[in-house]
Structure formats: C-alpha cells, structure tokens
Amino acid sequence: MAKSTTPGNPAAVRQRGVTMKDVAKHAGVSRTAVSFVLSNRENASISEETRTRINHAVQELGYRPNAGARALASRRSDWYGIVTEIVTAPFAVDIIKGAQDQAWLDRRFLLIAPSDQADAVGPNQGLEDAATEKLLEQRVEGLLYAATFHRGVHVPESANEVPTVLINCFDADGKLPSIVPDERGGGRVAVERLLQAGHERIGVINLDPVIPAAVGRLEGAREALAVAGLELDPELVVSGYATADGGYDAACLILDRYPPKDRPTALFCLNDRMAMGAYDAIKERGLTIPGDIAVIGFDNQELIAAYLRPKLTTVALPFEKMGALGVQTLSALTAGQPIIADQQLVDCPLLERSSV
Amino acid sequence: MAKSTTPGNPAAVRQRGVTMKDVAKHAGVSRTAVSFVLSNRENASISEETRTRINHAVQELGYRPNAGARALASRRSDWYGIVTEIVTAPFAVDIIKGAQDQAWLDRRFLLIAPSDQADAVGPNQGLEDAATEKLLEQRVEGLLYAATFHRGVHVPESANEVPTVLINCFDADGKLPSIVPDERGGGRVAVERLLQAGHERIGVINLDPVIPAAVGRLEGAREALAVAGLELDPELVVSGYATADGGYDAACLILDRYPPKDRPTALFCLNDRMAMGAYDAIKERGLTIPGDIAVIGFDNQELIAAYLRPKLTTVALPFEKMGALGVQTLSALTAGQPIIADQQLVDCPLLERSSV
DNA sequence: CTGGGCATGTGACTTAGGTTACCCGCGTTA
DNA sequence: TAACGCGGGTAACCTAAGTCACATGCCCAG
C-alpha cells in the first residue's frame, strides 16, 4: 500500500506539482501545444477542439503555472521591486498601497524589500544595498525607492542596472526620475483657504526650515499672500520640533506674544502633529476653534486629523497617487517609452473638515 | 559600429546577464564546480586554490545568482507569502514589519499580496483567492494571513496546499494554527495598573461587546478586580462606536451620570481612539488627567497615544511580535517540526506614559 | 605492477516552461 | 505535375541553475 500523509484529503492525491507535461499527457497532445494555448499565442494554430480539450485538462488536474519557470524561460519576471523604510514607518504606507494597486492592474507583482535606514546617505548604506541586491537577484524589471519624508537620497549604484523611479524623494545626483508632492501648491491652497475665510493675520508653525517640505510649503504660503497683496510677517513664523509638543510650544509663543487684538486669527501648521499640539495651546487659553482661531494642518494623518475635535482641515500628501504614478512611470520606462518629466509634481489637495 | 544605449557606462559593457557559465569559463573550471563553490556544499571537494579562483571570477564579472532559476532547480523558493488587508489599513502595519524582519533573519523573502476586503467571509471572496492563487503560482513555501483586527476568518481552500499560519485572526473552522494577542491578559494588566494607583471605581468605555477584543479585555478587567475583591459595576460599562466621537459620548455619559463624589476616578478605554475622545470630555469638564481622572487606553496607536497631552498610558497590541512569531511558526511547519500550540497568545504589555 | 582509495572535478541529466524550425497532409495554382 | 501555401501540430533546443554518478590522476600498499 502506498503511504499517504493525509489520507482522504483530495489535495494530497493531486501530485505535489502538476506541470504542463501532465496536462499534455492528459489531453493527448504535445507540451508545446499546451504552452501555446495557455500563453494565448496569436500566431499559433491550434484547433478549437484541441484548445478546449487542453483547457479541460487544466481544470481537471488543477494545473497552476510555475511563475518562476515561466520567468526563467521568457526572461520576463513581471516583477517590480520597491525598497522602502515605510515598513518601519506606517506614516506613508499609502505609497505601497497605491503602487501595489497599480501594479496589480498592470498584472505585475510588487516585491517589497525593507530598508531599515532613515537615511540612504552615508557609510551605513549596506542595508539598502542588500535589499537592492536581493531584488535584482529576483530579476525585477524595475526598481522603486520610497521615502517616508520628502528629501534627497542617494541610491545604490546597482540600481542603474534596471529602470528606477524615486517616490517621495529625489535623486541627490539628479539623474533618476522622481515623483514628489507639490509642496508649494499645498502651501498655497492652505493659505488661500484661510484668506478666503477672511483671515489676514496668519501665524505659521514651521518645520525645520531647511527641509524641502518646509521650503516649499512656506513659498506657497507667500505666493498666496502675495496674490492678496499681503506679506508674510516673519515674526509670525515660528519653527519647532515636528511633534505635538513642538506645535504646542510654538503655538504658545505666537499666541502669547500679542494682545488679543493683534493676535493672528489663524494658524497654518506645517504638519498635523504640530496642529494637534496647537489645538491644546488654543483650548488651554479658552479660545475656540475655528471661532477664535482657525487652524489648518498639513499631511492629513488620518488618525490625527480625522479624530481631533473639531476635525482638522488639512492639506493631504498624495501618497497613494504618488505610488501609483511611480509604477506607471516605471511601466513606461520598462516599455522603452519616454517619460514626461524627470520630476513629476503631484497635487496636494485641501481636505475640508471643521477647523477653518 | 555597435550601438550602445548608454555609451561610457561601464554597467552597459557588462553583458545583460552574467551566468554561472560565464564565471566558469572565466575561472577555467566547469559550471558544476562553480555551483558547488557558490552553494557551499560540504561534501564537495574543491581545492582552496580553485575556490578562490572562482570567487575572484565572481567578483570580476559581477555575477549575481538568478534566484528564479535557483528556485526552479532546487525546488525551494525561500519565499513566504503574506495576504493582508494591512496595505489598506496602516493600523497594523507592524505585523508586516515583524514578519519581514524575521523572514530576513531566516534568509527568506516575504511576498506581500493585498487583500482588499475587510472580511474574508462571504461571496466576495474573490480577491483573497486571487492573491492566494498568485502567491501559490510563485511557489511560496508557506502562507500567512494577517488581519487588521482580531477576529475569525475563512481562508481560501487552496491555502491548504502549503503550511499556513494566521496572524491577529483565527480560523473560523478551527483547523489552522494562529497567533493572536492575549486580550484577556491585556485587560488584566490595565486594570491592575489602575488598582495599583489606588483607583477602585473604574469606568469602562467598551467596544462592540461581541468582538473578541471586547470580550477578552473585559474578562481580564473582571479578573483583576476579582483578585482585589472587587466587582465590575455594570452601570460603569458603556459601549460606543470605536472612534474618538464614540469615546467622547461614552465618557460624557459616565462622567455626567454621577455627582462628583461618586464619579469613577479612572476610565479604562478599550481603544486609544476612544481614549482620545474621553480626553476631550474630561478636559471640557475642567477636570485634569491624571489628577482628577486617570485614563488608560488599549492598542498603543503611536500617533495618538504618544501625542495626546498628557501622553496616554495604554496597553500595546504586540503586532510586531505576532508577525515575527508567525514567520517562526511557519518556519517550523515547513521544516516539518511540530508546533507548540494551535493558538498562540502573545502578551499585551503595558506602556506606562503619563495618564495614570 | 596492479589495484584500491582519495582528492578534484566534470559530463549529463533535471527543473518547468518558452520558442523556433520544421513536418505532414491536403488543396491550389502556374 | 511540381511547387506552394496553409491549417494543425510537434521535436528539439533554450533559459540558469542544482545534483549525481562517474572520470581522471596520483599515491601507496600488497
């Protein structure tokens, strides 16, 4: 008697791996014919009858193509690799979602490799390199690099071997195409919204002033003010740590610096965490949002923005869209098509809630 | 003249794919020898000199093994697949992190497939099936299913073809091993902490009472009280929507129901979002945290817990650990080892911050 | 001087499937 | 009547590896 590890389990009866050979035998044709039918070759001439016989055999045997073997023989893996620190930082996980959805549409698989470093520059570049190396071993057809916050990065050299696109970051050496948020546009719409609500004296709670996000958003704010014939009062711009505490401290500074009549009537917080702190500072002083002070944030961190009371009006970072666009750009590159621009800006839309 | 797409780029000179054959030729040995050296076979007898010659050739040619071909020939893919809605719900992204880190340690690759459904039960099971199918085509050696919240799920049939482990969920049919948080233990430590701080009259802001999280956490709370000779007052348990607003409403109810002296001195919120709402209700009434009312949460949603003011003491869901344990369990299963238990409970540790 | 053993490798076969060149029989056409 | 085309299909080779049985060559013992 033959041994059976799982008697009575029909899945165990079916051999470990049903191959094309088995299907061919079952259908009484050559393996080549099966291959032609399954890969739906246009110039192959197989009669309708044989075709259905083969398809039946596929069904009956529960044949499942072996993606690895297929990739080997066809020299196309249908895989893209994405290297990201996002796995460690849930903040921008939407990039992955966007990329994966788009990849799924393009019938491609996304291989996600973790990069444990916040910064790809510097001596400890080993980890990205390992991730990139691993991905190339899998013969990915293209590479994506995604960062948790908008900045310049250095990408391992071996990335040059396949088409590569950067998401939410840009190549410090200026060679690779990238997808980044339109920070300036975001800053503009935020301040436009405040102006539209009648606020002319606007305090800004700024991030570290050198990072691209701060530079762009502030520039946008200035543009919006300029259109209204106003200028940004440098005294009303306070930088702080990019945390709730930082926002609290900065808000206190701004709010306490002036007598009530000179006090700004709106705060533009350059991220939602700082807005969270600003809320506390405002409430502590017995002021209401948006009655006494309107607040607008940036980033649209769902957990914060949607749950603050009142809900925070903020500008969203288009992570999902950037992810999708990254894959689209990569598809174009791997297909040999020219890409539109080296750096693509993606809109940061205003999310109207209740704090303005 | 030969055309060159990227003239002057040394990477372009190197042929598209360096294979073992090239390495062998370069080193003046057979392909077999190269294979033996690279796969570090113990029983292979290759002289030290040949070995270094081969390694040199590998370096010089920049040889990179083709993972697909290797998998095909060796019949081992070194891949695990994970099906998860997490890509769409950043909440529990740490499961992926834990799993991926562990997979990396085990020298395995994690293939992440998206499942767009909140619930694997029901007629629309197509998506998980597609994801599972795709993963099996890649010949993953094992499957993981991860859910965003602790619950029972149905897994597609084909998952039975390879070892499978469920993370943060359990098999509604009771056949597959699973890794879930020890909700009861978490509820216990939360209430123990409150008791230790001298609180005896504790309000509970409950979730939907039928979900496993609510059942377990409440049970744990009762246990802790019982040890102290106390009982849970049913009047002090209020269920609400699992949002900040729900928490606010529930907290208002509890706080306003009693005169100040009978009012509970502590609130156990069964998730952090509700705790966020409770904070507002408490502050609105001019009460202080933790002075007048202590608050303890559950879930440790970083963005909330670490940024609330005062920072929220809460019980953490051990996502990362569950992910790692899932992979460990899968490794054991694929190696044919017996597993410890069908359902493994993972501790939910208390995270001491400033709200108690 | 012959055979056994050991150290070093190697040819040939496998894995699962893609691809090309060609075969066979039959009807058309120059 | 030979050549050609065409529908229908197949043998044989290719992809990039792993693996096993066997082939050298050399030393030493019998």
Side-chain angles (χ1 to χ4, degrees):
Chain A
M1 292 244 310
K3 279 184 204 173
S4 169
T5 45
T6 42
N9 177 351
V13 174
R14 184 199 307 159
Q15 266 63 6
R16 266 294 130 203
V18 178
T19 73
M20 273 199 170
K21 212 155 107 188
D22 304 320
V23 174
K25 197 187 294 177
H26 196 81
V29 296
S30 73
R31 209 184 47 65
T32 308
V34 178
S35 173
F36 283 178
V37 169
L38 292 189
S39 51
N40 235 331
R41 275 172 72 108
E42 296 181 0
N43 52 346
S45 57
I46 309 279
S47 71
E48 205 48 48
E49 196 247 312
T50 312
R51 215 171 273 272
T52 57
R53 232 180 36 250
I54 290 176
N55 283 325
H56 273 20
V58 165
Q59 290 292 319
E60 273 169 41
L61 298 181
Y63 168 73
R64 180 160 29 225
N66 181 318
R70 194 208 292 270
L72 179 61
S74 67
R75 301 151 135 276
R76 308 194 40 217
S77 65
D78 285 340
W79 290 337
Y80 290 148
I82 181 167
V83 178
T84 167
E85 328 124 332
I86 288 169
V87 174
T88 65
F91 179 36
V93 75
D94 285 337
I95 292 180
I96 293 188
K97 171 163 169 50
Q100 220 170 34
D101 287 355
Q102 184 63 42
W104 192 267
L105 287 179
D106 294 2
R107 323 219 125 196
R108 290 168 174 287
F109 223 91
L110 207 60
L111 278 175
I112 304 174
S115 129
D116 274 346
Q117 284 194 235
D119 195 338
V121 192
N124 288 350
Q125 212 174 326
L127 279 166
E128 279 83 13
D129 275 329
T132 303
E133 209 52 29
K134 271 281 179 203
L135 291 175
L136 289 173
E137 282 183 12
Q138 310 294 336
R139 294 302 187 268
V140 293
E141 291 177 22
L143 279 173
L144 295 164
Y145 285 81
T148 43
F149 69 96
H150 184 176
R151 66 184 200 275
V153 297
H154 287 279
V155 153
E157 264 214 45
S158 41
N160 291 312
E161 297 178 27
V162 295
T164 300
V165 174
L166 307 189
I167 301 177
N168 201 32
C169 53
F170 53 90
D171 184 8
D173 304 327
K175 289 178 185 162
L176 298 169
S178 56
I179 318 279
V180 294
D182 179 8
E183 310 276 12
R184 199 195 323 185
R188 204 186 312 124
V189 296
V191 170
E192 277 168 1
R193 177 67 187 87
L194 293 177
L195 289 168
Q196 178 204 328
H199 302 280
E200 303 214 324
R201 192 152 168 77
I202 298 172
V204 175
I205 298 190
N206 196 15
L207 299 162
D208 176 348
V210 305
I211 64 174
V215 173
R217 293 170 196 180
L218 221 54
E219 215 170 289
R222 279 205 195 86
E223 279 178 25
L225 287 169
V227 169
L230 297 170
E231 269 192 24
L232 187 60
D233 180 352
E235 269 203 359
L236 285 178
V237 180
V238 178
S239 296
Y241 288 110
T243 62
D245 283 342
Y248 175 81
D249 294 341
C252 291
L253 240 152
I254 293 184
L255 294 176
D256 296 341
R257 182 140 66 196
Y258 306 94
K261 43 168 54 183
D262 294 338
R263 197 159 50 197
T265 60
L267 290 180
F268 175 24
C269 303
L270 263 64
N271 83 21
D272 290 352
R273 294 215 301 276
M274 294 170 89
M276 193 173 176
Y279 264 50
D280 276 334
I282 294 167
K283 291 181 181 170
E284 243 181 49
R285 279 158 186 72
L287 302 170
T288 62
I289 305 169
D292 299 315
I293 310 246
V295 176
I296 196 161
F298 210 113
D299 286 359
N300 189 33
Q301 290 200 297
E302 282 288 326
L303 281 180
I304 294 177
Y307 292 111
L308 280 176
R309 304 169 50 81
K311 293 178 174 136
L312 179 65
T313 293
T314 188
V315 178
L317 282 172
F319 289 123
E320 205 167 323
K321 208 164 179 182
M322 289 195 289
L325 197 55
V327 169
Q328 279 170 10
T329 307
L330 202 48
S331 290
L333 281 175
T334 53
Q337 292 164 20
I339 55 169
I340 306 164
D342 266 4
Q343 176 149 142
Q344 291 177 73
L345 294 181
V346 183
D347 270 0
C348 297
L350 180 73
L351 253 85
E352 200 71 67
R353 277 193 274 251
S354 324
S355 64
V356 172
Chain B
M1 293 254 296
K3 279 185 203 172
S4 169
T5 46
T6 44
N9 177 349
V13 175
R14 185 200 303 157
Q15 264 65 4
R16 267 291 133 206
V18 178
T19 74
M20 274 199 170
K21 213 155 105 187
D22 305 321
V23 175
K25 196 189 294 177
H26 196 83
V29 297
S30 73
R31 211 187 44 70
T32 309
V34 177
S35 173
F36 283 178
V37 168
L38 291 189
S39 52
N40 235 331
R41 277 171 71 110
E42 295 183 359
N43 53 346
S45 58
I46 308 279
S47 72
E48 205 47 49
E49 195 246 312
T50 312
R51 212 171 275 271
T52 56
R53 225 172 50 243
I54 291 176
N55 284 326
H56 272 20
V58 165
Q59 291 292 321
E60 274 169 42
L61 298 181
Y63 168 74
R64 178 160 32 223
N66 181 318
R70 196 208 291 270
L72 179 61
S74 66
R75 301 151 134 276
R76 307 192 41 214
S77 66
D78 286 341
W79 289 339
Y80 290 148
I82 181 166
V83 178
T84 167
E85 328 124 330
I86 288 171
V87 175
T88 65
F91 180 36
V93 75
D94 284 337
I95 292 180
I96 292 189
K97 172 165 168 51
Q100 219 170 35
D101 287 354
Q102 184 64 41
W104 191 268
L105 286 179
D106 293 2
R107 321 220 127 195
R108 290 168 174 287
F109 222 90
L110 206 60
L111 238 42
I112 304 173
S115 131
D116 274 345
Q117 284 194 232
D119 195 338
V121 192
N124 288 349
Q125 213 174 326
L127 279 167
E128 279 82 15
D129 277 358
T132 304
E133 210 51 29
K134 270 282 178 202
L135 291 175
L136 288 173
E137 281 183 12
Q138 310 294 336
R139 296 301 187 267
V140 294
E141 291 177 22
L143 279 173
L144 296 164
Y145 285 82
T148 44
F149 69 96
H150 185 177
R151 68 184 198 274
V153 297
H154 287 280
V155 155
E157 266 214 42
S158 42
N160 291 313
E161 298 179 26
V162 295
T164 299
V165 174
L166 306 188
I167 302 179
N168 202 33
C169 54
F170 53 91
D171 185 7
D173 304 326
K175 288 178 186 162
L176 298 169
S178 58
I179 318 279
V180 293
D182 180 8
E183 310 275 11
R184 192 185 339 175
R188 202 186 312 122
V189 296
V191 171
E192 277 168 1
R193 177 67 187 86
L194 293 176
L195 288 168
Q196 180 205 326
H199 301 282
E200 303 215 325
R201 191 151 169 76
I202 298 172
V204 175
I205 298 189
N206 197 13
L207 298 162
D208 176 348
V210 305
I211 65 175
V215 174
R217 293 170 196 180
L218 221 54
E219 215 169 288
R222 281 206 194 82
E223 279 179 27
L225 287 169
V227 168
L230 299 170
E231 269 192 25
L232 187 60
D233 180 351
E235 271 206 358
L236 286 178
V237 179
V238 178
S239 297
Y241 288 111
T243 62
D245 282 342
Y248 175 82
D249 294 342
C252 290
L253 240 153
I254 293 184
L255 294 176
D256 296 340
R257 180 139 69 198
Y258 307 95
K261 46 168 51 183
D262 293 337
R263 195 161 51 200
T265 61
L267 288 180
F268 175 24
C269 304
L270 262 63
N271 83 21
D272 289 353
R273 294 216 300 276
M274 295 170 88
M276 193 172 175
Y279 263 50
D280 276 334
I282 294 168
K283 289 180 181 172
E284 244 180 48
R285 280 157 185 72
L287 302 170
T288 62
I289 305 169
D292 298 315
I293 310 246
V295 177
I296 197 161
F298 211 112
D299 285 359
N300 188 34
Q301 290 200 297
E302 281 287 326
L303 281 180
I304 294 177
Y307 292 111
L308 280 177
R309 307 170 48 83
K311 292 178 174 136
L312 179 67
T313 293
T314 189
V315 178
L317 282 172
F319 289 123
E320 204 168 324
K321 210 164 179 179
M322 289 195 289
L325 197 55
V327 169
Q328 279 170 10
T329 306
L330 201 49
S331 289
L333 281 174
T334 53
Q337 292 163 23
I339 55 169
I340 305 165
D342 266 5
Q343 177 150 137
Q344 291 178 71
L345 295 181
V346 183
D347 270 1
C348 297
L350 181 73
L351 252 85
E352 200 71 69
R353 279 192 273 250
S354 323
S355 64
V356 173

